[in-house]
Amino acid sequence: MVRVVRTVPELPEGSWWDWDVVTSTPELFVLGADYDLTYHHGLELRFQEPLFVRCPAEQFHDPVFRAATGAEEEWVARAVGGTPGVLVAFECDDGGAVQATGLVAARRLEVATGVVFRYWREHLEPGQRRAPWVRPPAAPSAAPPGATGRR
């Protein structure tokens, strides 16, 4: 029998109702959370080197993290060809009629806090940052050469 490290993340106190996928690359899978994701998020589960991701939806609500079952452990170990560093399981509301199940296996998990803005903000205070997709507003377009703006 393959043994996988089951992980139930210890979340800091807070209203972590809204969740979504912030980043999904071969190097990093990040779930962001807050009470409302319109302008910012304040919590991230940062899965380093994700090996397996079954996330119910891009956005979901009110996850309940739990230890993975033995069957989930064995299934993931077979799917990734070995034992991942962490295995996180959760049930959540994804808007369907029944609770959805999420399952993430990775080499390592970090829980990070701090304000992450989801819009351009010029000056950031220490500990604040912008979400990876946020870019500065486009500069006003320059007039084509020879254009004067006069009639």
Side-chain angles (χ1 to χ4, degrees):
M1 183 173 157
V2 176
R3 294 297 302 158
V4 177
V5 178
R6 299 180 201 179
T7 303
V8 178
E10 291 185 31
L11 304 181
E13 287 294 318
S15 180
W16 314 122
W17 186 77
D18 257 352
W19 290 74
D20 72 357
V21 176
V22 173
T23 302
S24 183
T25 68
E27 298 81 30
L28 184 65
F29 180 74
V30 179
L31 294 175
D34 218 309
Y35 62 90
D36 179 353
L37 297 177
T38 304
Y39 299 108
H40 70 279
H41 62 269
L43 174 70
E44 289 184 341
L45 297 186
R46 302 176 62 80
F47 296 90
Q48 306 290 326
E49 298 179 54
L51 303 166
F52 178 88
V53 175
R54 184 176 69 200
C55 193
E58 284 288 318
Q59 295 183 339
F60 54 93
H61 307 289
D62 204 20
V64 176
F65 293 94
R66 60 173 176 75
T69 66
E72 289 169 331
E73 271 186 22
E74 291 178 22
W75 190 84
V76 167
R78 281 193 309 274
V80 303
T83 305
V86 295
L87 179 59
V88 173
F90 60 93
E91 307 299 324
C92 66
D93 175 3
D94 69 348
V98 297
Q99 291 283 295
T101 299
L103 196 60
V104 182
R107 299 266 183 245
R108 193 173 74 241
L109 170 64
E110 298 170 358
V111 177
T113 58
V115 176
V116 180
F117 291 103
R118 292 167 170 247
Y119 63 93
W120 181 257
R121 187 174 173 123
E122 190 68 35
H123 303 288
L124 299 178
E125 295 180 17
Q128 295 179 336
R129 56 196 168 87
R130 297 176 198 96
W133 62 84
V134 174
R135 300 287 179 260
S141 60
T148 63
R150 296 185 201 154
R151 292 187 168 198

PDB file of all heavy atoms in Angstrom, residues 18-51:
ATOM      1  N   ASP A  18     -15.490  32.996  -0.505  1.00  0.00           N
ATOM      2  CA  ASP A  18     -15.292  32.979  -1.953  1.00  0.00           C
ATOM      3  C   ASP A  18     -13.908  32.443  -2.275  1.00  0.00           C
ATOM      4  O   ASP A  18     -12.912  32.907  -1.723  1.00  0.00           O
ATOM      5  CB  ASP A  18     -15.384  34.410  -2.514  1.00  0.00           C
ATOM      6  CG  ASP A  18     -16.687  34.720  -3.199  1.00  0.00           C
ATOM      7  OD1 ASP A  18     -17.494  33.802  -3.393  1.00  0.00           O
ATOM      8  OD2 ASP A  18     -16.880  35.893  -3.563  1.00  0.00           O
ATOM      9  N   TRP A  19     -13.805  31.510  -3.219  1.00  0.00           N
ATOM     10  CA  TRP A  19     -12.532  30.917  -3.642  1.00  0.00           C
ATOM     11  C   TRP A  19     -12.458  30.881  -5.150  1.00  0.00           C
ATOM     12  O   TRP A  19     -13.484  30.720  -5.825  1.00  0.00           O
ATOM     13  CB  TRP A  19     -12.405  29.480  -3.120  1.00  0.00           C
ATOM     14  CG  TRP A  19     -12.213  29.382  -1.651  1.00  0.00           C
ATOM     15  CD1 TRP A  19     -13.160  29.592  -0.689  1.00  0.00           C
ATOM     16  CD2 TRP A  19     -11.015  29.052  -0.961  1.00  0.00           C
ATOM     17  NE1 TRP A  19     -12.620  29.411   0.549  1.00  0.00           N
ATOM     18  CE2 TRP A  19     -11.299  29.076   0.416  1.00  0.00           C
ATOM     19  CE3 TRP A  19      -9.731  28.734  -1.382  1.00  0.00           C
ATOM     20  CZ2 TRP A  19     -10.343  28.790   1.374  1.00  0.00           C
ATOM     21  CZ3 TRP A  19      -8.774  28.443  -0.422  1.00  0.00           C
ATOM     22  CH2 TRP A  19      -9.080  28.479   0.940  1.00  0.00           C
ATOM     23  N   ASP A  20     -11.251  31.007  -5.683  1.00  0.00           N
ATOM     24  CA  ASP A  20     -11.059  30.802  -7.109  1.00  0.00           C
ATOM     25  C   ASP A  20      -9.618  30.411  -7.409  1.00  0.00           C
ATOM     26  O   ASP A  20      -8.752  30.451  -6.535  1.00  0.00           O
ATOM     27  CB  ASP A  20     -11.510  31.999  -7.948  1.00  0.00           C
ATOM     28  CG  ASP A  20     -10.619  33.219  -7.851  1.00  0.00           C
ATOM     29  OD1 ASP A  20      -9.635  33.209  -7.085  1.00  0.00           O
ATOM     30  OD2 ASP A  20     -10.902  34.207  -8.543  1.00  0.00           O
ATOM     31  N   VAL A  21      -9.400  30.004  -8.666  1.00  0.00           N
ATOM     32  CA  VAL A  21      -8.064  29.640  -9.122  1.00  0.00           C
ATOM     33  C   VAL A  21      -7.359  30.927  -9.535  1.00  0.00           C
ATOM     34  O   VAL A  21      -7.817  31.630 -10.441  1.00  0.00           O
ATOM     35  CB  VAL A  21      -8.127  28.644 -10.300  1.00  0.00           C
ATOM     36  CG1 VAL A  21      -6.726  28.356 -10.825  1.00  0.00           C
ATOM     37  CG2 VAL A  21      -8.826  27.364  -9.866  1.00  0.00           C
ATOM     38  N   VAL A  22      -6.245  31.232  -8.874  1.00  0.00           N
ATOM     39  CA  VAL A  22      -5.465  32.435  -9.164  1.00  0.00           C
ATOM     40  C   VAL A  22      -4.397  32.125 -10.204  1.00  0.00           C
ATOM     41  O   VAL A  22      -4.180  32.886 -11.141  1.00  0.00           O
ATOM     42  CB  VAL A  22      -4.825  32.992  -7.874  1.00  0.00           C
ATOM     43  CG1 VAL A  22      -3.882  34.142  -8.173  1.00  0.00           C
ATOM     44  CG2 VAL A  22      -5.898  33.416  -6.880  1.00  0.00           C
ATOM     45  N   THR A  23      -3.726  30.998 -10.034  1.00  0.00           N
ATOM     46  CA  THR A  23      -2.641  30.594 -10.932  1.00  0.00           C
ATOM     47  C   THR A  23      -2.724  29.093 -11.151  1.00  0.00           C
ATOM     48  O   THR A  23      -2.967  28.343 -10.209  1.00  0.00           O
ATOM     49  CB  THR A  23      -1.267  30.933 -10.310  1.00  0.00           C
ATOM     50  OG1 THR A  23      -1.196  32.321 -10.053  1.00  0.00           O
ATOM     51  CG2 THR A  23      -0.121  30.514 -11.202  1.00  0.00           C
ATOM     52  N   SER A  24      -2.477  28.682 -12.391  1.00  0.00           N
ATOM     53  CA  SER A  24      -2.431  27.257 -12.695  1.00  0.00           C
ATOM     54  C   SER A  24      -1.356  27.028 -13.752  1.00  0.00           C
ATOM     55  O   SER A  24      -1.602  27.194 -14.946  1.00  0.00           O
ATOM     56  CB  SER A  24      -3.795  26.773 -13.196  1.00  0.00           C
ATOM     57  OG  SER A  24      -3.757  25.384 -13.428  1.00  0.00           O
ATOM     58  N   THR A  25      -0.158  26.697 -13.281  1.00  0.00           N
ATOM     59  CA  THR A  25       0.963  26.392 -14.172  1.00  0.00           C
ATOM     60  C   THR A  25       1.574  25.077 -13.700  1.00  0.00           C
ATOM     61  O   THR A  25       1.255  24.599 -12.606  1.00  0.00           O
ATOM     62  CB  THR A  25       2.050  27.497 -14.117  1.00  0.00           C
ATOM     63  OG1 THR A  25       2.685  27.471 -12.823  1.00  0.00           O
ATOM     64  CG2 THR A  25       1.464  28.875 -14.386  1.00  0.00           C
ATOM     65  N   PRO A  26       2.478  24.495 -14.481  1.00  0.00           N
ATOM     66  CA  PRO A  26       3.130  23.266 -14.023  1.00  0.00           C
ATOM     67  C   PRO A  26       3.957  23.470 -12.744  1.00  0.00           C
ATOM     68  O   PRO A  26       4.176  22.523 -12.003  1.00  0.00           O
ATOM     69  CB  PRO A  26       4.044  22.885 -15.189  1.00  0.00           C
ATOM     70  CG  PRO A  26       3.402  23.509 -16.377  1.00  0.00           C
ATOM     71  CD  PRO A  26       2.804  24.800 -15.880  1.00  0.00           C
ATOM     72  N   GLU A  27       4.375  24.700 -12.483  1.00  0.00           N
ATOM     73  CA  GLU A  27       5.186  24.974 -11.293  1.00  0.00           C
ATOM     74  C   GLU A  27       4.360  25.353 -10.068  1.00  0.00           C
ATOM     75  O   GLU A  27       4.812  25.181  -8.943  1.00  0.00           O
ATOM     76  CB  GLU A  27       6.169  26.127 -11.555  1.00  0.00           C
ATOM     77  CG  GLU A  27       7.171  25.877 -12.644  1.00  0.00           C
ATOM     78  CD  GLU A  27       6.602  26.109 -14.046  1.00  0.00           C
ATOM     79  OE1 GLU A  27       5.690  26.953 -14.208  1.00  0.00           O
ATOM     80  OE2 GLU A  27       7.052  25.428 -14.980  1.00  0.00           O
ATOM     81  N   LEU A  28       3.161  25.897 -10.303  1.00  0.00           N
ATOM     82  CA  LEU A  28       2.411  26.474  -9.192  1.00  0.00           C
ATOM     83  C   LEU A  28       0.912  26.443  -9.465  1.00  0.00           C
ATOM     84  O   LEU A  28       0.456  26.846 -10.540  1.00  0.00           O
ATOM     85  CB  LEU A  28       2.870  27.927  -8.992  1.00  0.00           C
ATOM     86  CG  LEU A  28       2.299  28.706  -7.822  1.00  0.00           C
ATOM     87  CD1 LEU A  28       2.733  28.088  -6.499  1.00  0.00           C
ATOM     88  CD2 LEU A  28       2.765  30.161  -7.900  1.00  0.00           C
ATOM     89  N   PHE A  29       0.153  25.971  -8.476  1.00  0.00           N
ATOM     90  CA  PHE A  29      -1.309  26.031  -8.517  1.00  0.00           C
ATOM     91  C   PHE A  29      -1.726  26.801  -7.279  1.00  0.00           C
ATOM     92  O   PHE A  29      -1.370  26.428  -6.159  1.00  0.00           O
ATOM     93  CB  PHE A  29      -1.917  24.626  -8.518  1.00  0.00           C
ATOM     94  CG  PHE A  29      -3.417  24.625  -8.553  1.00  0.00           C
ATOM     95  CD1 PHE A  29      -4.096  24.952  -9.727  1.00  0.00           C
ATOM     96  CD2 PHE A  29      -4.150  24.303  -7.431  1.00  0.00           C
ATOM     97  CE1 PHE A  29      -5.474  24.956  -9.772  1.00  0.00           C
ATOM     98  CE2 PHE A  29      -5.536  24.298  -7.465  1.00  0.00           C
ATOM     99  CZ  PHE A  29      -6.204  24.625  -8.640  1.00  0.00           C
ATOM    100  N   VAL A  30      -2.465  27.909  -7.466  1.00  0.00           N
ATOM    101  CA  VAL A  30      -2.826  28.778  -6.347  1.00  0.00           C
ATOM    102  C   VAL A  30      -4.330  28.956  -6.290  1.00  0.00           C
ATOM    103  O   VAL A  30      -4.966  29.317  -7.287  1.00  0.00           O
ATOM    104  CB  VAL A  30      -2.159  30.169  -6.470  1.00  0.00           C
ATOM    105  CG1 VAL A  30      -2.575  31.076  -5.306  1.00  0.00           C
ATOM    106  CG2 VAL A  30      -0.652  30.040  -6.535  1.00  0.00           C
ATOM    107  N   LEU A  31      -4.891  28.720  -5.106  1.00  0.00           N
ATOM    108  CA  LEU A  31      -6.281  29.036  -4.820  1.00  0.00           C
ATOM    109  C   LEU A  31      -6.297  30.290  -3.958  1.00  0.00           C
ATOM    110  O   LEU A  31      -5.575  30.364  -2.957  1.00  0.00           O
ATOM    111  CB  LEU A  31      -6.956  27.886  -4.067  1.00  0.00           C
ATOM    112  CG  LEU A  31      -7.120  26.578  -4.827  1.00  0.00           C
ATOM    113  CD1 LEU A  31      -7.680  25.498  -3.902  1.00  0.00           C
ATOM    114  CD2 LEU A  31      -8.023  26.764  -6.037  1.00  0.00           C
ATOM    115  N   GLY A  32      -7.102  31.284  -4.347  1.00  0.00           N
ATOM    116  CA  GLY A  32      -7.238  32.518  -3.577  1.00  0.00           C
ATOM    117  C   GLY A  32      -8.591  32.564  -2.905  1.00  0.00           C
ATOM    118  O   GLY A  32      -9.581  32.040  -3.438  1.00  0.00           O
ATOM    119  N   ALA A  33      -8.651  33.210  -1.732  1.00  0.00           N
ATOM    120  CA  ALA A  33      -9.911  33.260  -0.993  1.00  0.00           C
ATOM    121  C   ALA A  33     -10.075  34.585  -0.260  1.00  0.00           C
ATOM    122  O   ALA A  33      -9.102  35.233   0.116  1.00  0.00           O
ATOM    123  CB  ALA A  33      -9.970  32.113   0.015  1.00  0.00           C
ATOM    124  N   ASP A  34     -11.332  34.940  -0.052  1.00  0.00           N
ATOM    125  CA  ASP A  34     -11.712  36.081   0.774  1.00  0.00           C
ATOM    126  C   ASP A  34     -13.228  36.054   0.909  1.00  0.00           C
ATOM    127  O   ASP A  34     -13.878  35.167   0.366  1.00  0.00           O
ATOM    128  CB  ASP A  34     -11.245  37.407   0.164  1.00  0.00           C
ATOM    129  CG  ASP A  34     -10.778  38.382   1.250  1.00  0.00           C
ATOM    130  OD1 ASP A  34     -11.542  38.600   2.221  1.00  0.00           O
ATOM    131  OD2 ASP A  34      -9.655  38.899   1.147  1.00  0.00           O
ATOM    132  N   TYR A  35     -13.795  37.055   1.586  1.00  0.00           N
ATOM    133  CA  TYR A  35     -15.241  37.105   1.733  1.00  0.00           C
ATOM    134  C   TYR A  35     -15.905  37.565   0.438  1.00  0.00           C
ATOM    135  O   TYR A  35     -17.071  37.316   0.199  1.00  0.00           O
ATOM    136  CB  TYR A  35     -15.655  38.005   2.902  1.00  0.00           C
ATOM    137  CG  TYR A  35     -15.233  39.448   2.729  1.00  0.00           C
ATOM    138  CD1 TYR A  35     -16.053  40.369   2.107  1.00  0.00           C
ATOM    139  CD2 TYR A  35     -13.989  39.869   3.183  1.00  0.00           C
ATOM    140  CE1 TYR A  35     -15.654  41.683   1.929  1.00  0.00           C
ATOM    141  CE2 TYR A  35     -13.582  41.177   3.016  1.00  0.00           C
ATOM    142  CZ  TYR A  35     -14.417  42.077   2.384  1.00  0.00           C
ATOM    143  OH  TYR A  35     -14.014  43.375   2.210  1.00  0.00           O
ATOM    144  N   ASP A  36     -15.141  38.264  -0.429  1.00  0.00           N
ATOM    145  CA  ASP A  36     -15.636  38.754  -1.708  1.00  0.00           C
ATOM    146  C   ASP A  36     -14.416  38.958  -2.601  1.00  0.00           C
ATOM    147  O   ASP A  36     -13.507  39.700  -2.248  1.00  0.00           O
ATOM    148  CB  ASP A  36     -16.371  40.078  -1.496  1.00  0.00           C
ATOM    149  CG  ASP A  36     -16.899  40.694  -2.781  1.00  0.00           C
ATOM    150  OD1 ASP A  36     -16.597  40.179  -3.876  1.00  0.00           O
ATOM    151  OD2 ASP A  36     -17.610  41.701  -2.694  1.00  0.00           O
ATOM    152  N   LEU A  37     -14.380  38.310  -3.741  1.00  0.00           N
ATOM    153  CA  LEU A  37     -13.199  38.357  -4.606  1.00  0.00           C
ATOM    154  C   LEU A  37     -13.249  39.462  -5.660  1.00  0.00           C
ATOM    155  O   LEU A  37     -12.431  39.476  -6.571  1.00  0.00           O
ATOM    156  CB  LEU A  37     -13.014  37.005  -5.296  1.00  0.00           C
ATOM    157  CG  LEU A  37     -12.739  35.830  -4.364  1.00  0.00           C
ATOM    158  CD1 LEU A  37     -12.657  34.537  -5.162  1.00  0.00           C
ATOM    159  CD2 LEU A  37     -11.481  36.049  -3.557  1.00  0.00           C
ATOM    160  N   THR A  38     -14.163  40.388  -5.532  1.00  0.00           N
ATOM    161  CA  THR A  38     -14.309  41.427  -6.544  1.00  0.00           C
ATOM    162  C   THR A  38     -13.041  42.253  -6.708  1.00  0.00           C
ATOM    163  O   THR A  38     -12.582  42.477  -7.823  1.00  0.00           O
ATOM    164  CB  THR A  38     -15.494  42.349  -6.202  1.00  0.00           C
ATOM    165  OG1 THR A  38     -16.669  41.551  -6.058  1.00  0.00           O
ATOM    166  CG2 THR A  38     -15.708  43.389  -7.287  1.00  0.00           C
ATOM    167  N   TYR A  39     -12.456  42.728  -5.612  1.00  0.00           N
ATOM    168  CA  TYR A  39     -11.324  43.655  -5.691  1.00  0.00           C
ATOM    169  C   TYR A  39     -10.004  43.094  -5.170  1.00  0.00           C
ATOM    170  O   TYR A  39      -8.945  43.600  -5.501  1.00  0.00           O
ATOM    171  CB  TYR A  39     -11.646  44.946  -4.941  1.00  0.00           C
ATOM    172  CG  TYR A  39     -12.836  45.658  -5.509  1.00  0.00           C
ATOM    173  CD1 TYR A  39     -14.043  45.698  -4.831  1.00  0.00           C
ATOM    174  CD2 TYR A  39     -12.770  46.266  -6.764  1.00  0.00           C
ATOM    175  CE1 TYR A  39     -15.140  46.347  -5.363  1.00  0.00           C
ATOM    176  CE2 TYR A  39     -13.862  46.912  -7.308  1.00  0.00           C
ATOM    177  CZ  TYR A  39     -15.045  46.953  -6.595  1.00  0.00           C
ATOM    178  OH  TYR A  39     -16.138  47.579  -7.137  1.00  0.00           O
ATOM    179  N   HIS A  40     -10.064  42.088  -4.318  1.00  0.00           N
ATOM    180  CA  HIS A  40      -8.826  41.552  -3.741  1.00  0.00           C
ATOM    181  C   HIS A  40      -9.093  40.179  -3.123  1.00  0.00           C
ATOM    182  O   HIS A  40     -10.236  39.757  -2.996  1.00  0.00           O
ATOM    183  CB  HIS A  40      -8.295  42.499  -2.656  1.00  0.00           C
ATOM    184  CG  HIS A  40      -9.148  42.512  -1.419  1.00  0.00           C
ATOM    185  ND1 HIS A  40     -10.297  43.260  -1.328  1.00  0.00           N
ATOM    186  CD2 HIS A  40      -9.038  41.839  -0.254  1.00  0.00           C
ATOM    187  CE1 HIS A  40     -10.848  43.065  -0.142  1.00  0.00           C
ATOM    188  NE2 HIS A  40     -10.108  42.202   0.528  1.00  0.00           N
ATOM    189  N   HIS A  41      -8.013  39.496  -2.767  1.00  0.00           N
ATOM    190  CA  HIS A  41      -8.126  38.320  -1.910  1.00  0.00           C
ATOM    191  C   HIS A  41      -7.036  38.421  -0.837  1.00  0.00           C
ATOM    192  O   HIS A  41      -6.062  39.143  -1.001  1.00  0.00           O
ATOM    193  CB  HIS A  41      -8.073  36.998  -2.677  1.00  0.00           C
ATOM    194  CG  HIS A  41      -6.811  36.725  -3.415  1.00  0.00           C
ATOM    195  ND1 HIS A  41      -6.608  37.093  -4.739  1.00  0.00           N
ATOM    196  CD2 HIS A  41      -5.668  36.089  -3.039  1.00  0.00           C
ATOM    197  CE1 HIS A  41      -5.408  36.704  -5.125  1.00  0.00           C
ATOM    198  NE2 HIS A  41      -4.814  36.085  -4.116  1.00  0.00           N
ATOM    199  N   GLY A  42      -7.244  37.736   0.264  1.00  0.00           N
ATOM    200  CA  GLY A  42      -6.329  37.855   1.389  1.00  0.00           C
ATOM    201  C   GLY A  42      -5.706  36.552   1.840  1.00  0.00           C
ATOM    202  O   GLY A  42      -4.892  36.533   2.761  1.00  0.00           O
ATOM    203  N   LEU A  43      -6.086  35.447   1.202  1.00  0.00           N
ATOM    204  CA  LEU A  43      -5.553  34.135   1.564  1.00  0.00           C
ATOM    205  C   LEU A  43      -5.219  33.377   0.294  1.00  0.00           C
ATOM    206  O   LEU A  43      -5.967  33.444  -0.684  1.00  0.00           O
ATOM    207  CB  LEU A  43      -6.591  33.342   2.371  1.00  0.00           C
ATOM    208  CG  LEU A  43      -6.242  31.892   2.697  1.00  0.00           C
ATOM    209  CD1 LEU A  43      -5.108  31.830   3.717  1.00  0.00           C
ATOM    210  CD2 LEU A  43      -7.466  31.154   3.215  1.00  0.00           C
ATOM    211  N   GLU A  44      -4.090  32.682   0.306  1.00  0.00           N
ATOM    212  CA  GLU A  44      -3.727  31.823  -0.815  1.00  0.00           C
ATOM    213  C   GLU A  44      -3.253  30.473  -0.307  1.00  0.00           C
ATOM    214  O   GLU A  44      -2.484  30.406   0.654  1.00  0.00           O
ATOM    215  CB  GLU A  44      -2.603  32.452  -1.651  1.00  0.00           C
ATOM    216  CG  GLU A  44      -3.028  33.640  -2.453  1.00  0.00           C
ATOM    217  CD  GLU A  44      -1.925  34.192  -3.338  1.00  0.00           C
ATOM    218  OE1 GLU A  44      -0.732  33.909  -3.104  1.00  0.00           O
ATOM    219  OE2 GLU A  44      -2.273  34.923  -4.271  1.00  0.00           O
ATOM    220  N   LEU A  45      -3.725  29.427  -0.965  1.00  0.00           N
ATOM    221  CA  LEU A  45      -3.138  28.100  -0.807  1.00  0.00           C
ATOM    222  C   LEU A  45      -2.252  27.929  -2.028  1.00  0.00           C
ATOM    223  O   LEU A  45      -2.741  27.887  -3.160  1.00  0.00           O
ATOM    224  CB  LEU A  45      -4.211  27.010  -0.759  1.00  0.00           C
ATOM    225  CG  LEU A  45      -5.187  27.064   0.407  1.00  0.00           C
ATOM    226  CD1 LEU A  45      -6.094  25.839   0.393  1.00  0.00           C
ATOM    227  CD2 LEU A  45      -4.462  27.162   1.737  1.00  0.00           C
ATOM    228  N   ARG A  46      -0.945  27.860  -1.814  1.00  0.00           N
ATOM    229  CA  ARG A  46       0.038  27.821  -2.895  1.00  0.00           C
ATOM    230  C   ARG A  46       0.638  26.419  -2.979  1.00  0.00           C
ATOM    231  O   ARG A  46       1.471  26.044  -2.164  1.00  0.00           O
ATOM    232  CB  ARG A  46       1.117  28.871  -2.640  1.00  0.00           C
ATOM    233  CG  ARG A  46       0.542  30.283  -2.521  1.00  0.00           C
ATOM    234  CD  ARG A  46       1.589  31.319  -2.178  1.00  0.00           C
ATOM    235  NE  ARG A  46       2.614  31.430  -3.199  1.00  0.00           N
ATOM    236  CZ  ARG A  46       2.474  32.112  -4.333  1.00  0.00           C
ATOM    237  NH1 ARG A  46       1.358  32.752  -4.587  1.00  0.00           N
ATOM    238  NH2 ARG A  46       3.455  32.150  -5.208  1.00  0.00           N
ATOM    239  N   PHE A  47       0.197  25.666  -3.979  1.00  0.00           N
ATOM    240  CA  PHE A  47       0.664  24.299  -4.182  1.00  0.00           C
ATOM    241  C   PHE A  47       1.875  24.340  -5.114  1.00  0.00           C
ATOM    242  O   PHE A  47       1.744  24.645  -6.297  1.00  0.00           O
ATOM    243  CB  PHE A  47      -0.447  23.439  -4.792  1.00  0.00           C
ATOM    244  CG  PHE A  47      -1.640  23.264  -3.897  1.00  0.00           C
ATOM    245  CD1 PHE A  47      -2.697  24.161  -3.946  1.00  0.00           C
ATOM    246  CD2 PHE A  47      -1.699  22.207  -3.005  1.00  0.00           C
ATOM    247  CE1 PHE A  47      -3.804  24.001  -3.127  1.00  0.00           C
ATOM    248  CE2 PHE A  47      -2.807  22.038  -2.177  1.00  0.00           C
ATOM    249  CZ  PHE A  47      -3.857  22.945  -2.241  1.00  0.00           C
ATOM    250  N   GLN A  48       3.037  24.044  -4.569  1.00  0.00           N
ATOM    251  CA  GLN A  48       4.280  24.040  -5.346  1.00  0.00           C
ATOM    252  C   GLN A  48       4.396  22.717  -6.104  1.00  0.00           C
ATOM    253  O   GLN A  48       4.198  21.654  -5.526  1.00  0.00           O
ATOM    254  CB  GLN A  48       5.488  24.204  -4.425  1.00  0.00           C
ATOM    255  CG  GLN A  48       5.426  25.418  -3.520  1.00  0.00           C
ATOM    256  CD  GLN A  48       5.576  26.719  -4.275  1.00  0.00           C
ATOM    257  OE1 GLN A  48       6.287  26.793  -5.260  1.00  0.00           O
ATOM    258  NE2 GLN A  48       4.898  27.749  -3.809  1.00  0.00           N
ATOM    259  N   GLU A  49       4.719  22.802  -7.380  1.00  0.00           N
ATOM    260  CA  GLU A  49       4.862  21.641  -8.250  1.00  0.00           C
ATOM    261  C   GLU A  49       3.639  20.705  -8.160  1.00  0.00           C
ATOM    262  O   GLU A  49       3.749  19.562  -7.725  1.00  0.00           O
ATOM    263  CB  GLU A  49       6.137  20.869  -7.924  1.00  0.00           C
ATOM    264  CG  GLU A  49       7.410  21.664  -8.134  1.00  0.00           C
ATOM    265  CD  GLU A  49       8.643  20.868  -7.783  1.00  0.00           C
ATOM    266  OE1 GLU A  49       8.805  19.763  -8.328  1.00  0.00           O
ATOM    267  OE2 GLU A  49       9.429  21.355  -6.950  1.00  0.00           O
ATOM    268  N   PRO A  50       2.489  21.203  -8.590  1.00  0.00           N
ATOM    269  CA  PRO A  50       1.286  20.361  -8.535  1.00  0.00           C
ATOM    270  C   PRO A  50       1.440  19.124  -9.419  1.00  0.00           C
ATOM    271  O   PRO A  50       1.950  19.204 -10.533  1.00  0.00           O
ATOM    272  CB  PRO A  50       0.186  21.285  -9.056  1.00  0.00           C
ATOM    273  CG  PRO A  50       0.902  22.316  -9.864  1.00  0.00           C
ATOM    274  CD  PRO A  50       2.251  22.476  -9.240  1.00  0.00           C
ATOM    275  N   LEU A  51       1.018  18.004  -8.893  1.00  0.00           N
ATOM    276  CA  LEU A  51       1.101  16.735  -9.611  1.00  0.00           C
ATOM    277  C   LEU A  51      -0.260  16.296 -10.134  1.00  0.00           C
ATOM    278  O   LEU A  51      -0.353  15.606 -11.141  1.00  0.00           O
ATOM    279  CB  LEU A  51       1.668  15.658  -8.690  1.00  0.00           C
ATOM    280  CG  LEU A  51       3.037  15.981  -8.090  1.00  0.00           C
ATOM    281  CD1 LEU A  51       3.354  15.031  -6.954  1.00  0.00           C
ATOM    282  CD2 LEU A  51       4.089  15.919  -9.174  1.00  0.00           C
TER     283      LEU A  51
END
